[in-house]
Amino acid sequence: MGLHRGLSTTCVHAGELADAHGAPHTPIYNSTTFGFPSTAALLDVVEGRRDGSLYTRYGLNPTIKSLEAKLACLEQAETALAFCSGMAAESALFLTHGRHGVVVLGDAYGGTLELVGQQLPELGIRTHLLLGDELSRLEAVLQGGAGVLFCETPTNPGLEVFDIRGLADLAHGHGALLAVDNTFATPVNQQPLALGADLVVHSATKYLGGHSDITAGALMGPRRLLEPVALWRKNLGQVPAPETAALLMRSIRTLVVRVRQQNATAAAVAQALQGHPRVRRVLYPGLPDFPGHNLAARQMAGFGGMLTLELDGGFEPTARVVDRLRVFTIAPSLGGAESLVTQPVTTTHHGLSSEERARRGIADSMVRLSIGLEDAEDLITDLRQALDATA
Ligand SMILES: *Cc1c(COP(=O)(O)O)cnc(C)c1O
């Protein structure tokens, strides 16, 4: 990697395998197993004296290894592990490093809340879910003992921004690791490891994949922390298929241009909708009056492609606006080329009681937008016609 400096160059070239035929990109090695010229050569790989391909479920497959080299470079990490989903990466992380306790700060992905809030406690693991306005309790909770402090920043769907450096210092002061879910920000906009985090998690299903056509995950960090995670991944059987690994590498080559375009379009949409008579609030870290703006401006290189609107009125009038959109598709998920819209109350936060949603600041009138690669003017026109038609 010595020659590659910028992130765009890294995305295109890092990790690519030069094969004997001169293909510019890593080929798809669909083999489940790999042959050896001798027993001694096989034992060299099995006993760790030599790197080599062995068995795909172990992750010892050239396509998966090649993807992992690229993933590590994206987050300037020593090493990376590829997974078959974002939740696979999170569950392997918590089973490895969270057995002495897991603390989740802020709102988080629904699967994360279910895993940490319900399933890990069933295994006897102590967990705490703290919201951003309970930050003052974090130190006391960490004092009680925890292996991992985990957060998203910005969060879903409120785009709350947390101080990564401050949280890393606090976690380290109490012997815990800080793991940041960097799915929303992407490495283009935010580099948590450079800010002091120990581990970065991605749902590569979102921006890294970028086309809503692959499910994958990633974990980046130092070798000493990832080696034990690789054992869980191996025996839980969580590696991505080689085809998926190759598709993900294909997608990452265009990550920087996609995300920068999505940043710019999201900013244009946020500005255009601010002050619209039917829009009570636009939640977007790039807006100067957004509560997390100054912190975001310090720790992020761009403000991302996700924004949330709070409309005037309740669930029904909001659903009517959503149903009138023509360019946006009504769907959960995010980070693809096509713009998506969802009311968090119908998808990401549907399983919570109304009291819990209120506690988390999830209003029935919230609309989350994942900005795609369409023209900003078309997205703004679409949103305006839907808002105006239902006024
Ligand atoms: C989607 C998502 C996940 C889970 O990823 P999968 O690939 O669906 O398993 C985790 N964190 C965030 C922030 C997500 O958006």
Side-chain angles (χ1 to χ4, degrees):
M1 264 311 292
L3 282 176
H4 306 144
R5 305 212 198 281
L7 189 61
S8 298
T9 311
T10 292
C11 283
V12 176
H13 292 289
E16 298 289 347
L17 202 71
D19 83 342
H21 302 283
H25 305 307
T26 301
I28 306 176
Y29 288 92
N30 263 331
S31 306
T32 56
T33 188
F34 296 85
F36 293 85
S38 68
T39 302
L42 177 139
L43 283 176
D44 279 347
V45 173
V46 169
E47 293 172 1
R49 283 184 295 277
R50 193 174 66 77
D51 284 340
S53 299
L54 179 64
Y55 190 64
T56 290
R57 177 173 52 77
Y58 296 0
L60 299 179
N61 169 296
T63 310
I64 295 172
K65 280 284 184 198
S66 176
L67 166 63
E68 288 176 343
K70 197 185 276 295
L71 289 169
C73 292
L74 283 187
E75 293 284 4
Q76 300 183 58
E78 190 182 358
T79 186
L81 290 173
F83 287 86
C84 57
S85 72
M87 287 312 301
E90 284 186 38
S91 46
L93 158 66
F94 294 138
L95 288 173
T96 309
H97 293 297
R99 276 172 286 169
H100 301 298
V102 176
V103 181
V104 173
L105 176 66
D107 215 337
Y109 181 71
T112 307
L113 296 180
E114 194 171 53
L115 176 67
V116 176
Q118 294 169 37
Q119 296 184 286
L120 294 183
E122 284 169 17
L123 300 178
I125 296 173
R126 266 181 316 114
T127 68
H128 295 269
L129 304 175
L130 290 181
L131 289 181
D133 60 11
E134 298 171 306
L135 204 54
S136 59
R137 285 181 48 209
L138 180 59
E139 183 139 27
V141 166
L142 289 173
Q143 247 150 22
V148 178
L149 171 62
F150 182 93
C151 75
E152 296 177 17
T153 179
T155 63
N156 173 37
L159 286 317
E160 189 171 8
V161 182
F162 290 112
D163 176 359
I164 295 174
R165 195 174 290 285
L167 291 179
D169 290 344
L170 200 59
H172 297 159
H174 294 88
L177 302 170
L178 175 66
V180 174
D181 183 333
N182 207 27
T183 301
F184 265 43
T186 82
V188 179
N189 291 326
Q190 182 168 277
Q191 303 257 318
L193 298 181
L195 293 166
D198 301 283
L199 294 159
V200 170
V201 184
H202 276 278
S203 169
T205 310
K206 315 295 168 49
Y207 286 98
L208 301 189
H211 299 73
S212 307
D213 59 1
I214 52 177
T215 301
L219 189 58
M220 293 85 156
R223 195 173 303 280
R224 77 189 152 81
L225 294 179
L226 291 200
E227 265 172 3
V229 182
L231 260 178
W232 281 99
R233 180 188 68 165
K234 175 176 116 185
N235 293 327
L236 291 169
Q238 296 173 306
V239 286
E243 294 97 326
T244 304
L247 266 178
L248 183 50
M249 293 188 81
R250 188 278 321 263
S251 294
I252 291 171
R253 288 181 202 117
T254 59
L255 178 70
V256 175
V257 281
R258 285 188 284 108
V259 169
R260 285 198 183 140
Q261 186 66 45
Q262 284 161 319
N263 287 344
T265 307
V269 171
Q271 276 153 20
L273 292 186
Q274 235 190 355
H276 188 285
R278 295 227 37 212
V279 178
R280 199 179 288 152
R281 274 201 306 168
V282 179
L283 306 179
Y284 185 65
L287 292 174
D289 60 351
F290 184 73
H293 173 73
N294 289 340
L295 176 54
R298 274 207 309 279
Q299 74 179 12
M300 300 179 78
F303 299 110
M306 299 299 297
L307 68 122
T308 296
L309 309 176
E310 222 182 293
L311 305 187
D312 64 344
F315 175 76
E316 291 295 339
T318 305
R320 278 199 292 279
V321 174
V322 169
D323 288 345
R324 278 206 158 255
L325 290 168
R326 298 191 189 116
V327 183
F328 287 83
T329 301
I330 303 173
S333 201
L334 55 122
E338 60 293 312
S339 291
L340 301 179
V341 57
T342 190
Q343 279 176 273
V345 62
T346 64
T347 51
T348 56
H349 292 69
H350 188 253
L352 302 180
S353 66
S354 52
E355 293 75 35
E356 184 56 22
R357 278 199 295 270
R359 199 173 77 84
R360 291 180 173 272
I362 311 298
D364 288 356
S365 64
M366 269 185 173
V367 177
R368 189 190 77 181
L369 304 177
S370 167
I371 298 299
L373 294 172
E374 302 91 342
D375 295 285
E377 272 319 303
D378 291 334
L379 298 178
I380 293 166
T381 303
D382 193 32
L383 287 159
R384 284 205 175 117
Q385 65 79 21
L387 290 164
D388 295 342
T390 55

